[in-house]
Amino acid sequence: MSDPAGALPAERWFGDRFGGPAGQVWRAPGRANLIGEHTDYNQGWVLPFALDLGVTVAAARRGDGVLALRSRQAPRAPADVPLATLAPGAVTGWAAYPAGVAWALRGAGHPLVGGASLAIDSDLPQGAGLSSSAALECASGLALAGLYGLDLPRPELATLAQHAENDFVGVPSGIMDQAASLLSRVGHALLLDCRSGATTDIPLDPAAAGLALLIIDTGARHALGDGRYAQRRRECDRAAALLGVASLREVTSLDALSQLTDPVLRRRARHVITENARVEQTVALLTRGDLAGVGPVLLASHASLASDFEVSWPEADVAVDAAMAAGALGARMMGGGFGGSALALVPAGQTAVSDAITAEFARRGWPPPAFLPAVPSAGAFRLRPTDGDGTGRG
Ligand code: GLA
């Protein structure tokens, strides 16, 4: 096996497992979400951004119609799946994500006839609510599309990846994570209108404002498939139906809530309506260069997610309180909820907030949280072959 100097770990892993060079190498990032939580499947607005952590896939075509999957993070769980046998339920565990994308591509008229070998490497923590699954789907989808020369616009690939996650893996997520991984631009957050699919890049440069965005991995693990996420989706659909609208996105005034007699549905709808308004408010603040002004909006989002949507968890509540007491400008839980990470807006170059959260966790006898800087980074890109502008967007 050759091991050229400068080879990426994913390329070396490819050579190790498959004994030849990879034809294409793609990287797709995980995401943070500045604001707009549980709004995507209500056809509302989200404002995520790509992280500089992600999943790398080194890939080559085969001739035997098999999808061969190897992950550096799961070396004892390889998967070899004949493409013709791909069907929901046929593949389980981590391999279901890339297999699901191949299944979705085939369903969209891209048969990938000869199959492919994929060697996967990730530096994203799993279960931390940073969308490692979406990054795996997106990097795999780009690699397969690249190998087979498919002309697949990224918004379409985002939809196919979500279809794979919903209908092959069986996790009822929205479109935010795949869109963020594929469509984000460095130094920007991605404003996505989840009804129309329209995107706008919103400048987000915390360092220029003397600030930093800090991810707090609370250590509590979540699973979108555990039923509570799906229950929230059902509650929102029910509230929309009772209000006579196609989705809660259509409701902009809180006055409408008086029509909902069920207090739970009223709270769920109130979160979605106010969260959509907070996305709009955040975009306005960022557009006039007032990142510090976003702090209180993040805190209001947390309160709404905790009290109205009831998806926060004890470690997130404690992290938010400790962050605010130690000088954060704002903080909130992030992602689907019930575990994963929180996000705090903090003054740059200090550790007062992370120190305070660590101390508070220790005082409660909880395992220490992990901290990651959240730097608005580029969406997915091709690493090999390198091209002119290095973006892989050709
Ligand atoms: C998870 C889902 C997203 C979105 C968030 C909540 O991350 O994958 O689609 O619904 O939860 O905002």
Side-chain angles (χ1 to χ4, degrees), residues 31 33 36-41 173-177 224 229 335-336:
R31 63 101 189 94
N33 187 18
E37 220 66 91
H38 288 273
T39 44
D40 61 353
Y41 55 81
S173 53
I175 188 70
M176 170 168 74
D177 306 342
L224 285 187
Y229 180 92

Side-chain angles (χ1 to χ4, degrees), residues 80-292:
D80 289 302
V81 196
L83 283 171
T85 67
L86 280 178
V91 184
T92 54
W94 70 270
Y97 293 90
V101 173
W103 169 81
L105 283 168
R106 282 167 60 83
H110 309 295
L112 313 170
V113 195
S117 300
L118 267 55
I120 294 153
D121 184 30
S122 171
D123 54 17
L124 267 171
Q126 278 168 37
L130 304 177
S131 296
S132 55
S133 325
L136 174 55
E137 293 155 15
C138 294
S140 302
L142 286 166
L144 291 169
L147 290 177
Y148 280 88
L150 309 182
D151 180 18
L152 201 60
R154 287 188 175 211
E156 203 177 305
L157 180 57
T159 304
L160 287 174
Q162 184 201 6
H163 175 41
E165 184 154 338
N166 291 175
D167 302 317
F168 189 92
V169 184
V171 175
S173 53
I175 188 70
M176 170 168 74
D177 306 342
Q178 293 82 3
S181 184
L182 288 169
L183 303 175
S184 292
R185 271 184 53 205
V186 64
H188 292 76
L190 180 80
L191 175 64
L192 172 67
D193 177 336
C194 299
R195 185 174 65 186
S196 68
T199 57
T200 314
D201 297 316
I202 306 293
L204 178 61
D205 184 358
L211 299 172
L213 286 161
L214 180 69
I215 291 171
I216 306 136
D217 178 357
T218 66
R221 286 303 178 237
H222 75 142
L224 285 187
D226 76 359
R228 289 180 288 183
Y229 180 92
Q231 185 194 354
R232 293 300 180 279
R233 290 194 63 147
R234 280 196 304 275
E235 289 164 346
C236 290
D237 290 347
R238 178 92 189 113
L242 287 169
L243 292 172
V245 290
S247 71
L248 288 179
R249 138 75 175 261
E250 316 295 332
V251 187
T252 49
S253 162
L254 291 173
D255 296 345
L257 295 179
S258 58
Q259 295 170 49
L260 295 171
T261 50
D262 179 340
V264 172
L265 296 188
R266 211 181 306 135
R267 288 204 300 276
R268 304 296 188 252
R270 185 166 57 195
H271 166 72
V272 175
I273 297 166
T274 57
E275 186 76 352
N276 277 325
R278 282 185 288 270
V279 175
E280 199 183 339
Q281 198 185 347
T282 300
V283 169
L285 286 161
L286 290 177
T287 306
R288 72 172 102 101
D290 185 5
L291 178 57

